[in-house]
Amino acid sequence: MGWRWEFRVLGSLQVLDSGRVVELRSAKQRVLLAALLMRANTPVPSDELIDHLWGDDAPGAARATLQTYAMRLRGSLDDLADRQVVRTWPTGYSIHVEDDQLDLARFRTLRAQAKQATDLETESRLLSEAVSLWRGPALDQVPSQRLEHGDAARLNEQRWETLERRNDVELRLGRHDQLVDELRALVAQHPLRERFWYQLMLALHRGGQQAQALDVYRRASDVLADELGIDPNADLRRLHMEVLAGSAAPVTVPVSASGPTWLPPDVADFTGRVPEVALLTDGLRAGGTWTITGPGGVGKTSLAVHVAHAVRDCFPDGQLYLNLRGGEQRPVEPAAALDRLLRGLGVPGNAIPSSIEDRVDLYRERLADRRVLVVLDNAVNEAQVRPLLPGTSAAAALVTSRAALAGLDAAHLVPLDVMPPDDALHLLRAAVGDSRVAAEPAAAESIAGYCGRLPLALRVCAARLVARPHWQLAKLASRLSDERRRFDELVVGDLDVRASLALTYNGLDESHQRAFGLLAVLEMPDFPAWVAGPLLGMDVDDAEDHIEALVDARLVDYAGRDGIGQVRYRLHDLLRAYGREVAPDCSAPLRDLFTHLLDLVTRADAEIPHSALRLEPQALERFEWGDPIGWFDAEWLNIQAAVSQCASLGFSSLACSLAIRSAAFCDLRARFDDWAEVNAVALDLGDSRARAILLQQRGILRGRRNQFDGASADFSAAQVAFGELGDAWFEGYAWYGLGWMHEWGGREAAARDAHREAMARFVAAGNPHGEIEVLCSLGAIERRAGGLTAAQEYLGRARLIAQELGDEASELSATLELGRLHQFTGELDQSASLLRESLAAAEKLGDPDMAANIRLFLADTLVRSGMASLAAEQLRVAWDFFEEQDDRVGKIWVWRLNSQLATSADEALRLAGLALELATELKLPPELGRSLRCMGDALARAGRGDEALERWRSAEDVLEGAGFHAEVEELRTSIG
């Protein structure tokens, strides 16, 4: 192969292609890959893989489905042709990797080498390297109970055993002082591992802290008695006696043979805050809400993230992190925060309620009985935070804010002040080295004093010293003594923070100063390196070099990798504020950036599906960033911020164009709140044509939200505006939207008239794709209304036009509707043939969502044909997809059809009840009406005729109100 794959299992499952993260969105693919990696280079039997994938609930076609998953995994790894990575064996499958391609192999090698080491220094180095490979619980977020309780559990135990061995060796080397803070965190994470208590107690004893060592023994005794009903082991008791006796003799150290995580990386050299860390780790383990408060730059976020990492194992169901942006002009609104949190908890966009009250209820329902930690950073006030608190004893919340947030009921307040003198000096020593501080102790104390022992200022100063190893500490202390150089907006004690920031900023050359200022002006929450290219007027490589130089200077932070593998960066709030003070004129660079962003958005938009509005075609270069939907996902928050910033800068045309070109993405991803926000911003700025397009898009949005009156008003206004502009292309879509609204309102005649008006405009504008949409809608209207001949004619024309255009996607739509038509007319063989043709086309186009839905319609036809086993097989395959994607409408269909296939009345009632419950929750009239009918059928089968009739009558009312007259007639016929 021409690239290099790397796999990581010591934490969340990760796949990297030449260093770039490759996202495996399918849960089943992740399970299959994890099971193979656990026995890399060895064939794994199919039965074992099936067990990992489904446990005791394997479908009847498990082996065939396993083959499909293996094929898809090969596709994700570009291994379909060579099959050198995932290989097939008579008994199963295997994955082949070199040792340096799998972190687990490196971990095992380092452990073995450490065991053979001939000196303690080498053993410590090898064990430390092995421990550093871990990023969290093994196989985190791989949804397989067999793996979780088997391989993952064994690996996690090996992790802690390795860390115990490393600590033993470090203690033998006399490094007890360096271990204390880490061991405090470890006993908080793993209170039942007696080895960590022993090591902490010994480290304190060796450091002369006898009282603290005795307190550790007391705490260990309490925990073991409360949790397990046992006394400390012999090693702990013997050490306790040594401490009580005050023995100075060295104690011999015996060597001892997990949901989504959004946490930012822990601060590698986190220093001090020992009382606060202990209080917060103990407190969070017990649950509740904990609030860290203090002035800007005091280290609230660093402490919160550090503590959150320390207690991760106590919250196996996930750790959610959200920056509420309290230090910015536009803090995150509670509704938007709930949208992001719900998505993180697995709620699809189209299932997120519109009202904040309903979002809060759904959020707390999702958290009920789950051990989840919610970290809310940079909160503004109580009103912003209160809706985001879990409200359950199983979960815990950690909040940071400059405000006291005293109004939060039952919250535990942890005020944070500047660092104690010893901790401030410890931070400097950790950064620049013991030798430099020991050589100039007075200068080091002066630096800490001038910085007011504020962590942010101390870290900036440390970065300067590290970057200039030839500097004496006295030089920096002298520069800090000049009060004219201090940051006068944020003062703690006698420190003016601007001085410490200016020291770093003034050390940059002009080009890097300009880069820092311009990046600070951006309102994007974080950004990839390419953003700096058009902003700075240089190529991407030079721009990335500039950013990395700013990272080295601690003016820009590394924020991790996004879903398409891009490295992302961000600026700390205080550094952003300072950067804006020193920024050059930014109007032209920002316009260049947003123009470049619009070009990317336009080309990505041209390659994703559109519904109810296809923008006029343009001669565009191909989108070069891979999957356009994945790119949109990675950059969406920045696009949203760009619309707002363009509006504030007066770049009205750019703001409108960005909003228009991102609407299809919002529609596809059900980002309805975001869509509404950018649409509203742009509507206030656009010229007559842009405003008309935005009204049309808002109509589509309102239609998705079942706000039919508002949608109709928007489509009507857009139709008038496009008519006045003489723009037949867009006027056709406005009429099409009006027809769509009439369909939902049951106004069939008006729907037909509107669609015919749309057809006339599409023909005049030369938009055959629009014609096909109208023809398919007219065909569906006639099918539902019982106009079967007309439906046949419309759909036949749609299919013919699509074939002439070579438009496979449009031909698929027409063929699918024809298949559904023949199902309704009772021509079941022809229906099945057309639906199978549609299914083959969907699979060829690589549209798994469409394929799964076609399987539903095909299963419905097979049920009507009496082919129960074939129908059940289609439903099993469709269910796998809907379960992975959490497609709730798809699940409703499967439950309804399986209710018809059920072999007992009780099972039919159970499945119909599941469908009706979820359809009622989603408030979709067609699904509710059909589910009411299904429940009526199940009740009749159970001999409960009166109840059945009541449900059937309710189904009639719902379907009639939705305009599904043919289904109403079919229902009436079936019940007599």
Side-chain angles (χ1 to χ4, degrees):
M1 295 182 296
W3 52 85
R4 184 166 188 83
W5 294 102
E6 184 179 352
F7 304 92
R8 297 175 180 173
V9 298
L10 304 182
S12 60
L13 178 65
Q14 284 188 349
V15 181
L16 295 91
D17 176 4
S18 301
R20 182 181 65 84
V21 174
V22 177
E23 184 176 1
L24 294 182
R25 297 183 181 178
S26 165
K28 297 297 187 187
Q29 279 193 43
R30 294 198 300 275
V31 172
L32 175 59
L33 176 60
L36 293 174
L37 289 171
M38 286 299 95
R39 295 171 62 181
N41 302 316
T42 302
V44 183
S46 294
D47 288 342
E48 184 176 329
L49 294 172
I50 289 170
D51 193 39
H52 286 309
L53 286 163
W54 292 285
D56 296 329
D57 299 320
R63 290 185 182 275
T65 307
L66 172 60
Q67 292 175 353
T68 301
Y69 289 148
M71 180 187 69
R72 291 176 181 171
L73 179 59
R74 286 189 176 111
S76 298
L77 301 177
D78 288 344
D79 189 40
L80 284 171
D82 296 336
R83 302 199 173 197
Q84 293 300 304
V85 180
V86 178
R87 302 180 186 178
T88 303
W89 297 86
T91 57
Y93 297 89
S94 67
I95 189 166
H96 284 251
V97 295
E98 301 294 333
D99 284 353
D100 60 353
Q101 291 178 277
L102 178 61
D103 58 356
L104 174 57
R106 294 197 294 273
F107 175 70
R108 288 169 172 165
T109 298
L110 289 165
R111 275 168 49 99
Q113 291 174 344
K115 187 174 292 188
Q116 300 298 322
T118 57
D119 63 275
L120 293 178
E121 287 287 358
T122 301
E123 185 177 2
S124 174
R125 176 179 58 77
L126 292 168
L127 292 171
S128 296
E129 190 175 345
V131 169
S132 71
L133 293 172
W134 285 80
R135 297 167 290 107
L139 299 178
D140 198 14
Q141 302 183 47
V142 175
S144 169
Q145 290 190 357
R146 303 302 169 95
L147 284 171
E148 179 183 353
H149 298 303
D151 292 306
R154 286 190 292 274
L155 280 177
N156 288 328
E157 180 62 25
Q158 290 176 14
R159 174 191 185 184
W160 304 125
E161 288 176 355
T162 304
L163 188 55
E164 289 172 348
R165 286 174 54 196
R166 194 283 311 268
N167 293 343
D168 287 338
V169 175
E170 288 287 283
L171 288 167
R172 287 184 169 190
L173 289 167
R175 295 168 183 162
H176 42 271
D177 289 340
Q178 300 174 26
L179 283 177
V180 169
D181 287 347
E182 181 180 357
L183 286 167
R184 288 188 189 277
L186 286 171
V187 297
Q189 286 179 300
H190 306 282
L192 302 183
R193 295 192 77 92
E194 293 174 272
R195 193 72 198 157
F196 289 148
W197 288 109
Y198 175 89
Q199 291 169 339
L200 175 59
M201 190 175 173
L202 178 58
L204 291 168
H205 176 47
R206 289 268 187 88
Q209 301 180 61
Q210 314 306 330
Q212 291 91 331
L214 292 172
D215 182 62
V216 167
Y217 183 80
R218 178 190 59 76
R219 287 166 53 206
S221 299
D222 290 344
V223 168
L224 294 170
D226 291 344
E227 297 292 335
L228 302 177
I230 63 173
D231 293 326
N233 64 21
D235 288 338
L236 271 169
R237 294 197 304 272
R238 181 174 55 81
L239 180 57
H240 181 225
M241 297 304 297
E242 293 278 1
V243 176
L244 286 173
S247 172
V251 180
T252 302
V253 184
V255 180
S256 58
S258 138
T261 175
W262 290 1
L263 296 178
D266 196 1
V267 178
D269 56 347
F270 186 86
T271 299
R273 306 298 193 194
V274 173
E276 292 87 354
V277 169
L279 175 63
L280 287 166
T281 51
D282 290 343
L284 287 170
R285 289 186 63 247
T289 300
W290 294 78
T291 304
I292 304 172
T293 66
V298 80
K300 301 183 294 296
T301 297
S302 296
L303 175 61
V305 171
H306 180 71
V307 169
H309 277 280
V311 299
R312 275 188 63 185
D313 283 359
C314 299
F315 298 93
D317 296 322
Q319 309 92 43
L320 301 174
Y321 171 90
L322 202 59
N323 186 350
L324 298 178
R325 308 199 173 282
E328 299 183 12
Q329 292 183 348
R330 297 184 60 195
V332 176
E333 294 293 334
L338 285 165
D339 180 272
R340 297 178 197 172
L341 290 168
L342 285 168
R343 290 174 189 271
L345 291 169
V347 179
N350 58 7
I352 295 176
S354 57
S355 76
I356 190 168
E357 293 81 9
D358 289 341
R359 290 185 181 188
V360 171
D361 290 342
L362 179 58
Y363 171 60
R364 290 176 178 165
E365 176 187 325
R366 281 297 178 114
L367 288 178
D369 299 322
R370 296 176 69 179
R371 292 288 291 166
V372 174
L373 174 64
V374 181
V375 181
L376 303 171
D377 198 14
N378 292 323
V380 180
N381 51 36
E382 293 90 335
Q384 185 191 34
V385 170
R386 198 171 285 115
L388 312 180
L389 297 177
T392 171
S393 60
L398 181 57
V399 185
T400 74
S401 178
R402 296 180 185 181
L405 301 185
L408 288 181
D409 296 337
H412 306 278
L413 183 64
V414 180
L416 206 60
D417 202 350
V418 295
M419 302 185 81
D422 288 346
D423 287 345
L425 290 174
H426 189 179
L427 189 154
L428 283 174
R429 279 196 296 270
V432 305
D434 289 337
S435 59
R436 291 179 73 183
V437 173
E440 300 179 82
E445 291 182 5
S446 296
I447 290 172
Y450 287 131
C451 287
R453 305 192 306 279
L454 190 71
L456 174 62
L458 284 163
R459 292 190 181 280
V460 172
C461 291
R464 293 283 285 168
L465 291 168
V466 169
R468 290 162 173 74
H470 55 282
W471 270 20
Q472 291 184 328
L473 270 61
K475 179 178 180 67
L476 179 56
S478 175
R479 292 170 70 94
L480 284 173
S481 66
D482 184 356
E483 294 183 356
R484 294 171 300 175
R485 304 173 67 90
R486 295 180 184 172
F487 194 23
D488 59 6
E489 292 187 6
L490 292 169
V491 177
V492 178
D494 60 356
L495 171 69
D496 186 333
V497 179
R498 181 188 287 115
S500 59
L501 298 179
L503 284 172
T504 303
Y505 178 80
N506 291 337
L508 303 174
D509 61 29
E510 183 178 354
S511 179
H512 288 87
Q513 288 180 347
R514 180 172 179 272
F516 172 60
L518 290 174
L519 290 170
V521 171
L522 278 181
E523 293 182 1
M524 297 176 173
D526 57 37
F527 54 90
W530 68 260
V531 164
L535 186 68
L536 305 179
M538 57 183 63
D539 63 39
V540 174
D541 288 340
D542 287 343
E544 186 172 10
D545 288 344
H546 275 64
I547 295 174
E548 289 293 341
L550 296 175
V551 171
D552 292 340
R554 299 290 183 95
L555 293 174
V556 171
D557 292 333
Y558 169 69
R561 289 185 181 269
D562 58 31
I564 61 174
Q566 299 179 113
V567 174
R568 302 191 75 86
Y569 305 89
R570 59 171 167 247
L571 273 71
H572 183 281
D573 290 345
L574 298 179
L575 291 165
R576 186 190 300 273
Y578 177 76
R580 289 176 176 178
E581 286 192 354
V582 298
D585 178 32
C586 60
S587 179
L590 286 174
R591 183 184 290 275
D592 289 342
L593 169 60
F594 296 141
T595 299
H596 182 76
L597 178 62
L598 175 60
D599 175 66
L600 292 175
V601 167
T602 300
R603 286 189 278 140
D605 176 57
E607 297 187 21
I608 67 175
H610 290 64
S611 179
L613 183 63
R614 184 191 293 257
L615 301 178
E616 291 173 291
Q618 301 180 30
L620 299 172
E621 295 181 7
R622 292 285 296 174
F623 185 71
E624 74 270 25
W625 287 85
D627 173 25
I629 297 174
W631 180 85
F632 259 123
D633 282 331
E635 298 298 348
W636 171 243
L637 293 180
N638 285 349
I639 296 168
Q640 189 178 10
V643 172
S644 177
Q645 191 165 13
C646 282
S648 66
L649 292 171
F651 302 159
S652 299
S653 177
L654 283 170
C656 290
S657 296
L658 284 168
I660 289 168
R661 292 289 177 177
S662 61
F665 166 74
C666 291
D667 192 8
L668 189 68
R669 284 295 199 237
R671 286 188 170 274
F672 297 144
D673 286 355
D674 293 349
W675 188 1
E677 179 181 331
V678 298
N679 183 275
V681 170
L683 264 172
D684 290 336
L685 305 172
D687 58 22
S688 57
R689 186 173 185 276
R691 180 174 174 77
I693 296 174
L694 290 161
L695 283 170
Q696 171 73 12
Q697 291 180 334
R698 189 173 70 179
I700 300 169
L701 169 61
R702 286 175 165 175
R704 299 284 186 256
R705 288 178 152 178
N706 296 330
Q707 299 168 354
F708 300 124
D709 291 341
S712 295
D714 284 336
F715 291 138
S716 295
Q719 182 270 315
V720 171
F722 288 129
E724 292 174 351
L725 291 169
D727 192 327
W729 181 287
F730 286 111
E731 190 183 2
Y733 283 112
W735 277 111
Y736 179 69
L738 284 168
W740 179 29
M741 292 302 97
H742 289 313
E743 287 184 60
W744 279 100
R747 300 179 292 274
E748 295 176 4
R752 291 187 185 93
D753 290 342
H755 284 319
R756 286 165 183 155
E757 293 285 353
M759 177 64 75
R761 272 70 178 180
F762 287 142
V763 171
N767 184 355
H769 303 285
E771 294 179 43
I772 296 170
E773 285 200 64
V774 172
L775 289 168
C776 287
S777 291
L778 287 171
I781 291 171
E782 296 301 337
R783 169 174 56 80
R784 293 192 296 264
L788 306 182
T789 301
Q792 177 70 49
E793 292 175 356
Y794 286 132
L795 297 175
R797 284 175 56 197
R799 192 180 191 196
L800 180 61
I801 295 172
Q803 288 172 341
E804 291 174 348
L805 290 173
D807 184 343
E808 294 181 331
S810 294
E811 183 179 356
L812 164 60
S813 298
T815 304
L816 170 59
E817 285 297 337
L818 282 168
R820 299 189 71 186
L821 172 63
H822 287 294
Q823 179 192 91
F824 184 77
T825 61
E827 300 167 288
L828 299 180
D829 288 344
Q830 193 167 357
S831 172
S833 176
L834 288 167
L835 290 172
R836 286 192 173 99
E837 182 181 339
S838 300
L839 178 58
E843 291 178 334
K844 178 183 176 184
L845 291 171
D847 190 339
D849 182 34
M850 177 67 79
N853 281 280
I854 294 172
R855 290 183 188 278
L856 293 177
F857 307 139
L858 178 56
D860 195 357
T861 293
L862 294 170
V863 169
R864 295 167 187 254
S865 302
M867 301 179 183
S869 61
L870 293 177
E873 181 59 30
Q874 294 295 337
L875 291 174
R876 276 193 291 270
V877 177
W879 177 264
D880 283 342
F881 176 81
F882 295 136
E883 186 179 36
E884 286 185 23
Q885 302 298 320
D886 195 22
D887 185 327
R888 301 200 287 176
V889 173
K891 289 181 179 180
I892 291 172
W893 273 76
V894 173
W895 281 326
R896 281 202 305 259
L897 291 168
N898 274 328
S899 177
Q900 297 178 52
L901 294 173
T903 56
S904 70
D906 287 344
E907 180 66 3
L909 279 170
R910 185 185 72 82
L911 292 166
L914 291 171
L916 181 56
E917 180 182 3
L918 188 50
T920 303
E921 178 185 336
L922 295 183
K923 300 177 182 178
L924 296 175
E927 302 311 323
L928 178 58
R930 291 162 180 159
S931 298
L932 284 165
R933 177 180 177 177
C934 179
M935 177 56 77
D937 294 342
L939 288 166
R941 182 176 173 182
R944 296 156 62 178
D946 291 342
E947 294 176 74
L949 186 59
E950 181 182 345
R951 294 305 174 99
W952 285 331
R953 296 304 181 203
S954 298
E956 281 187 47
D957 293 341
V958 173
L959 291 170
E960 186 74 47
F964 287 69
H965 308 301
E967 292 189 37
V968 171
E969 290 302 319
E970 184 184 49
L971 173 57
R972 288 171 179 165
T973 300
S974 69
I975 64 177

